[in-house]
Amino acid sequence: MGPVTLALFVGFGLLIGILFGFFGMGGSFLVTPALLVMGYPSRVAVGSGLAFVFGTSVIGALRHRDHGQVDYKLAAIMTVAMTVGIEAGKRVVDSLHAAGTADLVISVTYVGLLAAVGLVTLRDARSAGESSGVDLSERVQALEIPPMIAFRGDVRVSGTLVAGLGLVVGVLSGFLGVGGGFLLMPAMMYGLGVPAAIAVGTDILQITLSGAFGAFVYAKDGLVALPVVATLLLGSALGARIGAGATSLVDDDEIKGYFAAMLLAGSLAVATKRIGTAYDVEILTTASIALVFGATVLVSGAVVLAAVCRLRDGHADAWCRLVTS
Amino acid sequence: MIDVASLPATAQALLLVGAVLAESIILYVGYGAITAAVGADVRRALRGE
């Protein structure tokens, strides 16, 4: 690995670390396409992506724990329920694969889910907490189905419903073949009413456990490029600290706004790539990659700028007006 | 010296996951020490003090 490649990996790791520490998502979603672009075989890209997500999430989880933003009870219930759900989701994929429609159905569902969650989050961020999402979590909390469990952030909700939600998120994760961060965080925020920062911290702990298992499975087949993972981690370890620290400075509604931007960019990128592959249009595939990397640079830059502006209390500054409410 | 390549695949995979975990913890502690040493100065500089 030459010095330029090394610097590129460390720099890219830094950006991903910022997003991961801030949102609790975006690891394999960004690393796997980057490794594919650099010519790594697809299974090595996926395996290395999972190992990288595991390492970054360890750092993110430790950092969020320091900020008191992890709910262990919630993470434990979600992990068990999601593990069961993922297995069920994989079976759905197997049956679709047998019918020959797996690729199309998964792509359309992925694009639809990213866009739908992105739009709901964006609407909620813009209406400053007065949307129907808050009403939903209040209704869920009002359902007295035993056992009722108290979570961090003054949230008291039925453990049965939490497990049910984890099961649904797990089925979708297994079906789409993704870690589930982009689904779990909004599910906890809108479904259960968990504050955004605690939803991110708990989500990252859950990703640590699933990332470790995923990395182990791929490593058994020799499908993890350790030098790549180690180099990316050099940057992401610092980025995850910055991102997790920024969640304490930036408002919940701003977090939701950036999260929505990432999801919508992701949705557009997946749709563009799918159309590009289906009709063999090279420029659409290139545009999809540019969209993913452009969104990474822009959103991570906006997160850092918003945090710095909060520190400076510099809302009057022209740059700060772009990123703070 | 243990020849890692001669170990069973499961043991090699566990070693790899362990290596990633060890690097992550070392980086967390290392960057944590740097943050503790210069973090306050950086925050002050960012606030323009």
Side-chain angles (χ1 to χ4, degrees):
Chain A
M1 197 181 287
V4 175
T5 315
L6 192 82
L8 267 176
F9 273 129
V10 174
F12 190 55
L14 180 76
L15 297 181
I16 297 174
I18 292 171
L19 295 180
F20 195 85
F22 194 73
F23 298 127
M25 63 152 269
S28 54
F29 170 58
L30 295 166
V31 170
T32 307
L35 295 181
L36 287 172
V37 169
M38 297 184 85
Y40 286 90
S42 59
R43 291 173 74 207
V44 174
V46 173
S48 305
L50 282 167
F52 167 72
V53 166
F54 165 58
T56 307
S57 60
V58 167
I59 294 156
L62 288 169
R63 191 79 185 115
H64 279 281
R65 187 204 58 168
D66 291 350
H67 286 278
Q69 293 169 338
V70 177
D71 191 305
Y72 295 98
K73 269 186 288 185
L74 187 55
I77 297 171
M78 283 293 184
T79 302
V80 172
M82 278 183 68
T83 306
V84 176
I86 286 169
E87 193 54 43
K90 275 184 193 156
R91 289 185 186 189
V92 176
V93 173
D94 289 344
S95 56
L96 283 173
H97 193 70
T101 54
D103 279 358
L104 180 67
V105 174
I106 290 170
S107 293
V108 170
T109 311
Y110 197 15
V111 170
L113 261 178
L114 279 171
V117 177
L119 288 173
V120 168
T121 312
L122 186 66
R123 202 185 70 171
D124 182 48
R126 288 194 163 180
S127 61
E130 290 172 8
S131 75
S132 58
V134 175
D135 294 336
L136 173 67
S137 67
E138 282 172 358
R139 266 184 251 139
V140 169
Q141 287 174 20
L143 292 170
E144 295 274 340
I145 303 169
M148 295 300 286
I149 302 175
F151 297 109
R152 275 179 186 267
D154 277 338
V155 176
R156 187 173 171 276
V157 68
S158 161
T160 309
L161 289 176
V162 174
L165 188 66
L167 195 68
V168 172
V169 172
V171 170
L172 287 169
S173 298
F175 176 65
L176 297 172
V178 296
F182 83 94
L183 293 169
L184 191 56
M185 183 203 164
M188 286 192 280
M189 274 193 320
Y190 298 117
L192 306 176
V194 176
I198 294 172
V200 173
T202 307
D203 176 35
I204 288 183
L205 180 63
Q206 191 279 326
I207 292 170
T208 305
L209 303 172
S210 57
F213 182 69
F216 171 73
V217 169
Y218 276 83
K220 270 205 303 188
D221 292 333
L223 296 169
V224 175
L226 190 57
V228 171
V229 176
T231 316
L232 282 167
L233 275 176
L234 279 177
S236 73
L238 182 60
R241 290 191 83 91
I242 296 170
T247 56
S248 304
L249 294 166
V250 181
D251 286 347
D252 267 17
D253 287 325
E254 287 175 59
I255 293 180
K256 289 173 189 170
Y258 297 131
F259 185 70
M262 275 308 293
L263 293 179
L264 292 172
S267 169
L268 199 56
V270 175
T272 310
K273 190 179 177 189
R274 175 76 202 173
I275 295 167
T277 310
Y279 295 100
D280 202 19
V281 185
E282 185 65 31
I283 195 160
L284 286 180
T285 310
T286 312
S288 143
I289 294 162
L291 198 60
V292 168
F293 290 116
T296 307
V297 173
L298 278 178
V299 179
S300 56
V303 166
V304 172
L305 185 59
V308 170
C309 289
R310 289 285 172 202
L311 268 178
R312 294 172 68 109
D313 200 20
H315 296 234
D317 185 281
W319 282 101
C320 290
R321 277 201 299 272
L322 285 175
V323 291
T324 53
S325 50
Chain B
M1 194 75 178
I2 301 167
D3 181 11
V4 175
S6 67
L7 293 171
T10 304
Q12 285 187 39
L14 282 173
L15 273 176
L16 186 138
V17 172
V20 173
L21 178 65
E23 186 191 352
S24 305
I25 292 172
I26 289 166
L27 288 172
Y28 179 76
V29 173
Y31 283 135
I34 294 169
T35 308
V38 301
D41 291 335
V42 171
R43 278 181 172 242
R44 267 196 298 276
L46 287 172
R47 284 195 192 105
E49 294 168 6

